[in-house]
Amino acid sequence: MKTETTIQGLAASLQPARAARKTIGFVPTMGNLHEGHLTLVREAKKICDVVVVSIFVNPIQFGPNEDFDSYPRTLDQDSQLLAEVGCDIIFAPSVEQMYGSKPRLTNISVSEITADLCGLQRPGHFDGVAVVVTKLFNMVQPNYAFFGEKDYQQLAVIRQFVRDLNIPLEVIGVPIVRAADGLALSSRNGYLSAEQRQIAPTIYQSLKAAAQALQQGETLSQVLANIKATLTAAGFVVDYVEARTTELQKIEAFSEDLVLFVAAKLGNTRLIDNLQVKHSA
Amino acid sequence: MKTETTIQGLAASLQPARAARKTIGFVPTMGNLHEGHLTLVREAKKICDVVVVSIFVNPIQFGPNEDFDSYPRTLDQDSQLLAEVGCDIIFAPSVEQMYGSKPRLTNISVSEITADLCGLQRPGHFDGVAVVVTKLFNMVQPNYAFFGEKDYQQLAVIRQFVRDLNIPLEVIGVPIVRAADGLALSSRNGYLSAEQRQIAPTIYQSLKAAAQALQQGETLSQVLANIKATLTAAGFVVDYVEARTTELQKIEAFSEDLVLFVAAKLGNTRLIDNLQVKHSA
């Protein structure tokens, strides 16, 4: 496994694979890797000859009051984990390497599907994601790129701009990896106190209960209200509880496959989760 | 020479060149080709194994009161000219092929350098250029892309987003090709009446006179005022007469290399031109 910190070094490391027309898989991350990320790498290894994992805490996707400075940087530990799952190249650039010294004037924005859910509380967040992911795609030029369904809205945004801009790669979404008690794995789980960590699985429990209630004929609005009540009672400050179609369109009733979305804070830590609910026609 | 009208057909036609790792050159056009475009193709042939020319009148870069519907479409004539200069592949997609049937939600915008000159009178124009050029870049995946310096601001915008987004190609600017009387070649020259065509070279004459006056010590503001007066007297309605650094920054005096920019209307036809003026330090 090689670790590259410059765009030029990355290009040099990828050159033999490109010349041999090998299949390149790409897993963009912000580091502080957990089993969710490692699952992405394992999925990439299954269908790609060479797997690149980027580790870059992207400043332009954090809002002014978000956790950019405190976001955990754990490169040594991440490298060890990536070596174990067969990553071929780590790309870990500095902010200077990614954004250069001249001002960036270009922005990429995706409308409509960024307007609510996490987009509402995090203005500019998905623009920052779109810009950095596009830059990374252009550096790595992978055949396949892997993203977790945990950040479902992010995955939808990436699918959208890849299609709209004809970026020549296939985006692959990978199901959420959960702890034994159901909590969706996230780097931000590390911010939780022992007590908060006990409460956190309530999100998944309430989503599961909601899916079951929907299947049993409870109305969508009642089900969403129940999730909110459960979380509030457990000590969360709920940001949103919403249902959308799998393509993030608004939906009023359980009339087709849908996705339930939750964002809620425990103390200062904002957790998100989602659950797809199949509709049997 | 092959002509492809679908993204899939283009990919298939380019596949052998890509497999053999040949150098691909790309010249995006809106068709109605003249000697200016053909010069771009000749420049591309000099350094590339395979040259692709796209012909696509891009609806999203035209404003609501602009000439999208009346813009000349002359594919047969264009194909003949391109065959003569050694173009390998023409890519002439439909609007449906380029933009698909689902709504496009993604936009690319470049700030600052699009705020004035042609950007002021054509809101959204450069966004439309950035989106279509990015899409074409992703379809063709060229090593080099060629653009005329006639659309100097457009060239600067393309250089900017290529750098900001790390698009893996080199942008090459090619000097303006002019008629014998100095008029910069443009598809829109075909809109001019015989009388207007006689007047049109006044733009270049006034730019040349301005460059000479600058070299002789005349002030920049006086020189710009003179261009405007000359054009107005000749029957133009002047949109702008401006000076900028070669990187499109504002400039108050002739203290470094600069570019003089003109946009002016003769009847309904909007003509643009520019002239680079070297400063001897």
Side-chain angles (χ1 to χ4, degrees):
Chain A
M1 188 178 70
K2 281 186 181 177
T3 298
E4 299 292 349
T5 58
T6 67
I7 299 166
Q8 220 170 6
L10 174 69
S13 269
L14 278 168
Q15 168 54 27
R18 263 198 251 288
R21 304 191 68 70
K22 289 191 177 170
T23 306
I24 297 170
F26 179 43
V27 181
T29 82
M30 300 208 300
N32 195 234
L33 305 180
H34 51 63
E35 197 54 32
H37 301 104
L38 302 180
T39 300
L40 298 177
V41 179
R42 286 191 202 98
E43 289 301 311
K45 288 294 286 184
K46 283 186 195 165
I47 60 168
C48 301
D49 302 318
V50 174
V51 173
V52 180
V53 176
S54 65
I55 295 179
F56 180 63
V57 184
N58 175 36
I60 70 167
Q61 73 187 67
F62 286 78
N65 296 315
E66 292 182 5
D67 55 345
F68 173 69
D69 287 330
S70 60
Y71 200 88
R73 275 93 169 161
T74 55
L75 185 59
D76 287 348
Q77 181 191 311
D78 293 344
S79 300
Q80 206 173 322
L81 293 169
L82 288 173
E84 286 167 17
V85 292
C87 166
D88 299 285
I89 300 170
I90 297 176
F91 180 49
S94 64
V95 171
E96 157 82 27
Q97 184 66 209
M98 279 299 286
Y99 288 107
S101 50
K102 291 187 177 181
R104 175 181 60 93
L105 305 182
T106 306
N107 190 40
I108 301 178
S109 57
V110 176
S111 60
E112 294 184 21
I113 59 172
T114 58
D116 57 10
L117 302 177
C118 285
L120 203 63
Q121 293 292 326
R122 306 187 73 185
H125 169 69
F126 288 113
D127 292 11
V129 170
V131 167
V132 80
V133 171
T134 299
K135 286 168 72 75
L136 289 166
F137 282 170
N138 282 327
M139 293 172 191
V140 177
Q141 298 166 57
N143 302 89
Y144 299 92
F146 299 79
F147 296 88
E149 289 181 351
K150 162 130 185 311
D151 298 305
Y152 193 99
Q153 189 178 15
Q154 170 179 282
L155 175 59
V157 167
I158 290 165
R159 285 192 196 283
Q160 183 74 42
F161 76 70
V162 164
R163 186 176 78 201
D164 285 346
L165 301 179
N166 303 87
I167 300 178
L169 56 83
E170 192 176 322
V171 173
I172 296 183
V174 176
I176 297 176
V177 178
R178 299 182 181 280
D181 59 12
L183 178 64
L185 297 194
S186 165
S187 295
R188 291 192 172 102
N189 294 349
Y191 298 154
L192 299 171
S193 69
E195 191 193 357
Q196 290 169 332
R197 180 62 189 80
Q198 295 281 346
I199 299 168
T202 310
I203 297 179
Y204 182 59
Q205 288 156 15
S206 67
L207 285 170
K208 287 263 282 188
Q212 203 169 15
L214 283 174
Q215 304 285 10
Q216 289 167 356
E218 187 110 54
T219 65
L220 185 53
S221 58
Q222 185 58 54
V223 156
L224 296 177
N226 290 349
I227 297 173
K228 194 163 179 178
T230 303
L231 293 177
T232 305
F236 289 88
V237 175
V238 173
D239 179 359
Y240 60 76
V241 175
E242 299 269 2
R244 292 286 184 278
T245 69
T246 53
E247 298 209 317
L248 291 189
Q249 302 304 302
K250 299 217 178 197
I251 187 168
E252 300 301 324
F254 183 40
S255 53
E256 58 181 296
D257 292 354
L258 59 71
V259 189
L260 299 170
F261 291 93
V262 167
K265 276 185 142 181
L266 268 183
N268 292 319
T269 305
R270 187 173 179 278
L271 300 175
I272 63 173
D273 201 349
N274 66 81
L275 187 67
Q276 297 173 49
V277 188
K278 293 273 176 206
H279 187 264
S280 45
Chain B
M1 188 177 71
K2 282 188 181 174
T3 299
E4 300 293 351
T5 58
T6 66
I7 299 166
Q8 219 170 7
L10 174 70
S13 268
L14 278 168
Q15 169 53 26
R18 262 199 253 288
R21 304 193 67 71
K22 289 188 176 172
T23 307
I24 298 170
F26 179 43
V27 181
T29 81
M30 299 208 301
N32 194 235
L33 304 180
H34 52 62
E35 197 54 32
H37 300 105
L38 301 180
T39 299
L40 298 178
V41 179
R42 286 191 203 99
E43 290 300 312
K45 288 294 287 183
K46 282 185 196 165
I47 59 169
C48 300
D49 301 319
V50 174
V51 173
V52 180
V53 176
S54 66
I55 295 180
F56 180 64
V57 185
N58 175 35
I60 71 166
Q61 74 187 67
F62 286 78
N65 296 313
E66 292 182 5
D67 56 346
F68 173 69
D69 288 329
S70 60
Y71 199 90
R73 274 93 168 163
T74 57
L75 184 59
D76 288 349
Q77 182 190 308
D78 292 345
S79 299
Q80 207 173 323
L81 292 170
L82 288 174
E84 287 167 16
V85 292
C87 166
D88 298 284
I89 300 170
I90 297 176
F91 180 49
S94 64
V95 171
E96 157 81 27
Q97 184 66 209
M98 279 298 286
Y99 289 107
S101 51
K102 292 188 177 180
R104 174 181 61 91
L105 305 183
T106 308
N107 190 42
I108 301 177
S109 58
V110 176
S111 60
E112 295 185 21
I113 60 173
T114 60
D116 58 9
L117 301 176
C118 285
L120 203 61
Q121 292 292 324
R122 307 187 72 186
H125 168 69
F126 288 113
D127 291 11
V129 169
V131 168
V132 80
V133 170
T134 299
K135 286 168 73 74
L136 289 165
F137 282 169
N138 282 328
M139 293 172 191
V140 177
Q141 299 167 55
N143 303 90
Y144 298 92
F146 299 79
F147 295 88
E149 289 181 352
K150 161 126 184 316
D151 298 305
Y152 192 99
Q153 190 179 13
Q154 170 179 280
L155 175 58
V157 167
I158 291 165
R159 285 191 195 284
Q160 183 75 42
F161 76 70
V162 164
R163 186 177 76 200
D164 285 345
L165 300 179
N166 304 85
I167 300 178
L169 56 81
E170 191 175 324
V171 174
I172 296 184
V174 177
I176 297 175
V177 178
R178 298 180 180 280
D181 60 12
L183 178 63
L185 297 193
S186 166
S187 296
R188 292 193 170 101
N189 294 348
Y191 297 154
L192 299 171
S193 69
E195 191 192 359
Q196 289 170 333
R197 180 62 189 78
Q198 294 281 345
I199 298 167
T202 312
I203 297 177
Y204 182 58
Q205 288 156 16
S206 67
L207 285 170
K208 288 263 283 188
Q212 203 169 17
L214 283 175
Q215 303 286 10
Q216 288 166 356
E218 188 109 56
T219 66
L220 184 53
S221 59
Q222 185 58 54
V223 156
L224 296 176
N226 290 349
I227 297 173
K228 194 164 181 178
T230 303
L231 293 176
T232 305
F236 287 88
V237 175
V238 172
D239 179 359
Y240 60 76
V241 174
E242 298 270 2
R244 291 285 183 280
T245 69
T246 53
E247 299 211 315
L248 292 187
Q249 301 304 303
K250 299 219 177 194
I251 186 168
E252 299 302 323
F254 182 40
S255 53
E256 58 181 296
D257 293 353
L258 59 72
V259 189
L260 299 169
F261 291 93
V262 167
K265 275 185 141 183
L266 268 182
N268 291 320
T269 306
R270 188 172 179 278
L271 301 175
I272 63 171
D273 201 350
N274 67 80
L275 187 67
Q276 297 173 52
V277 189
K278 291 273 175 204
H279 188 265
S280 44

